Amino acid sequence: MAASELIEEGEVRIPVEANVTSSNSPTQTRPQRVANGNPARPLTADEPDGADRSERSGLCSMRLLESLNSKLKRRCDYEKICAKEELTDRLPNEWWKTGVAFLYAFFNLVFTTVVITIVHERVPDKSVSPPLPDKFFDYVDRVPWAFTVTETNGLILVGFWLVQWLFLKHKAIVGRRCFFLIGNLYMYRCITMYITTLPVPGKHMVCAPKLYNDSTGKIWRILRLLSGGGLSLTGSHLMCGDFLYSGHTVMLTLAYLFISEYSPRWMWWYRWFCWALSASGVICILVGHEHYSIDVIIAYYATTRIFWAYHTMANNHELRGSPNNYLSRVWWNPVFNFLERNVQTTVPLVYLSPRALLSSCRERYQTMGIERDD
């Protein structure tokens, strides 16, 4: 029962109300009240306290960040795949077109040997028609070993370009450009050689005897010239008359142009070295008195102009359909459109590592084997 008591402390009286209950009565607890007067809800064992609640919120935040990160990564991978597919669509290999361009170049190279064999029968004898006057020959005496330097430099440049081309990722596109230009230049050479037959540029030159109506002998000469690559180093080039214009200048110049066009900008030393090989090889043609100066000049002019015209149209797509593009008036523009129709962007300088090149060749071989089995 409740009782009121007065506790006296000196002169101050403090009233104290005490609740007295018997041991037999149950304990009554009153709920605590907060500032708004409502009773506070007691915590149960199943409900987390403040530390547990903050830990769970941190875990949820981490899971959310991981989810966002994984989705972003998948999105980036998807965009990379789409970009690769888009680039592949804009730069298709189309190896069959490269094969057509190769056949075109091969035909003109063979046709060149036929024309050389025909023209050789028309070359005037040195005793009847002496060499024409040439200003370079007037000031520079002949050096016998100079032409050997020319052919050696040419073989080195062609070897450099062949290795460089093999490691290009888009070798199909670049290859058909190279074959098409070779075919064009040697077709022009066949025309100029046949139309104008110049006498030998020096009395040191030894020409094979004429065969006249011996068709079998002419065929054997054509095959010998083809087997030796038309080089004096191999002893296959014994005919005269193939002077206007210089085929050696064409190959030296064209090999350097392709090496320079499709090599990285930071390899300036490599381009300068190839330029030195090309320039010295062209000069040695004249030093060896193997061609007239006009032969070399026309060969250089024809090679550089055709190369630059082709690559100007190939690398500037807005020119292809422009009515003011006078380059499109060349006779080979339809062939250019056939070769470059599906190439929608400039060919990037992407090289394959030796391992990637071997793996791609292995995959292509396995694919061909599967197709044969099917």
Side-chain angles (χ1 to χ4, degrees):
M1 57 183 294
S4 296
E5 297 180 353
L6 291 177
I7 302 175
E8 296 183 1
E9 294 183 358
E11 298 180 352
V12 181
R13 294 183 179 182
I14 302 175
V16 176
E17 184 175 344
N19 293 329
V20 180
T21 57
S22 61
S23 60
N24 296 328
S25 64
T27 305
Q28 297 180 357
T29 60
R30 294 184 180 181
Q32 297 179 356
R33 295 181 180 273
V34 293
N36 57 6
N38 296 324
R41 186 173 59 88
L43 294 175
T44 61
D46 297 334
E47 294 183 357
D49 56 3
D52 294 339
R53 191 180 296 111
S54 62
E55 184 178 354
R56 288 195 178 186
S57 62
L59 290 174
C60 292
S61 300
M62 290 180 64
R63 290 175 181 174
L64 180 61
L65 290 175
E66 290 176 357
S67 176
L68 291 175
N69 189 23
S70 62
K71 290 181 179 179
L72 182 62
K73 186 177 180 181
R74 286 197 298 269
R75 176 67 179 179
C76 292
D77 294 339
Y78 174 76
E79 291 179 353
K80 288 180 180 178
I81 294 172
C82 292
K84 290 180 180 178
E85 291 178 352
E86 182 180 358
L87 186 61
T88 303
D89 294 338
R90 299 179 68 184
L91 293 170
N93 285 325
E94 296 180 313
W95 279 100
W96 67 275
K97 290 185 179 180
T98 307
V100 172
F102 172 77
L103 292 177
Y104 174 69
F106 181 76
F107 171 80
N108 282 295
L109 288 172
V110 174
F111 187 60
T112 299
T113 61
V114 175
V115 173
I116 291 174
T117 306
I118 296 173
V119 171
H120 175 75
E121 304 295 320
R122 295 166 41 191
V123 175
D125 189 79
K126 290 181 289 185
S127 60
V128 178
S129 296
L132 298 175
D134 191 291
K135 273 297 178 182
F136 190 90
F137 298 165
D138 294 341
Y139 292 104
V140 180
D141 294 332
R142 176 179 176 265
V143 178
W145 48 263
F147 198 61
T148 303
V149 174
T150 293
E151 294 190 336
T152 303
N153 289 3
L155 291 174
I156 294 173
L157 284 173
V158 172
F160 281 170
W161 169 238
L162 181 61
V163 174
Q164 185 175 332
W165 175 76
L166 285 175
F167 285 98
L168 280 172
K169 180 179 180 181
H170 304 287
K171 60 175 67 67
I173 300 173
V174 179
R176 59 176 172 262
R177 292 177 179 179
C178 182
F179 294 139
F180 177 69
L181 294 184
I182 290 174
N184 270 6
L185 289 167
Y186 274 86
M187 184 187 64
Y188 290 159
R189 186 168 183 251
C190 292
I191 296 172
T192 56
M193 282 191 304
Y194 187 78
I195 291 176
T196 303
T197 303
L198 299 177
V200 293
K203 293 185 177 181
H204 66 280
M205 301 190 73
V206 178
C207 302
K210 298 179 180 180
L211 298 177
Y212 298 104
N213 295 325
D214 186 2
S215 301
T216 305
K218 292 179 182 179
I219 293 175
W220 280 109
R221 279 185 175 178
I222 292 173
L223 295 176
R224 181 179 180 181
L225 190 61
L226 287 173
S227 63
L231 299 176
S232 299
L233 286 174
T234 59
S236 61
H237 197 341
L238 298 175
M239 291 180 286
C240 301
D242 57 332
F243 301 122
L244 188 65
Y245 46 85
S246 170
H248 287 78
T249 304
V250 168
M251 294 310 297
L252 286 166
T253 306
L254 192 63
Y256 166 71
L257 289 174
F258 270 100
I259 288 172
S260 178
E261 180 69 20
Y262 296 101
S263 60
R265 298 299 97 182
W266 59 269
M267 294 184 67
W268 57 268
W269 50 270
Y270 172 62
R271 291 196 300 276
W272 274 106
F273 178 70
C274 292
W275 177 88
L277 288 176
S278 176
S280 61
V282 172
I283 293 173
C284 285
I285 295 175
L286 297 176
V287 174
H289 292 196
E290 296 291 333
H291 275 281
Y292 293 104
S293 300
I294 191 66
D295 304 341
V296 174
I297 292 173
I298 293 177
Y300 172 79
Y301 186 86
T303 305
T304 53
R305 267 56 192 178
I306 292 177
F307 180 90
W308 290 335
Y310 189 101
H311 283 79
T312 297
M313 292 193 294
N315 295 332
N316 296 276
H317 299 83
E318 63 275 4
L319 291 178
R320 297 184 184 181
S322 175
N324 298 323
N325 178 21
Y326 289 89
L327 294 176
S328 62
R329 300 185 182 184
V330 295
W331 69 266
W332 45 265
N333 185 62
V335 184
F336 169 85
N337 291 330
F338 164 73
L339 296 176
E340 302 286 337
R341 181 179 295 113
N342 297 324
V343 181
Q344 301 299 324
T345 185
T346 304
V347 177
L349 292 178
V350 181
Y351 284 88
L352 299 175
S353 63
R355 182 178 300 176
L357 180 63
L358 291 175
S359 63
S360 64
C361 293
R362 190 182 300 110
E363 290 177 0
R364 188 171 301 171
Y365 177 78
Q366 291 175 354
T367 302
M368 294 174 61
I370 293 173
E371 292 177 354
R372 286 196 298 266
D373 294 339
D374 294 341

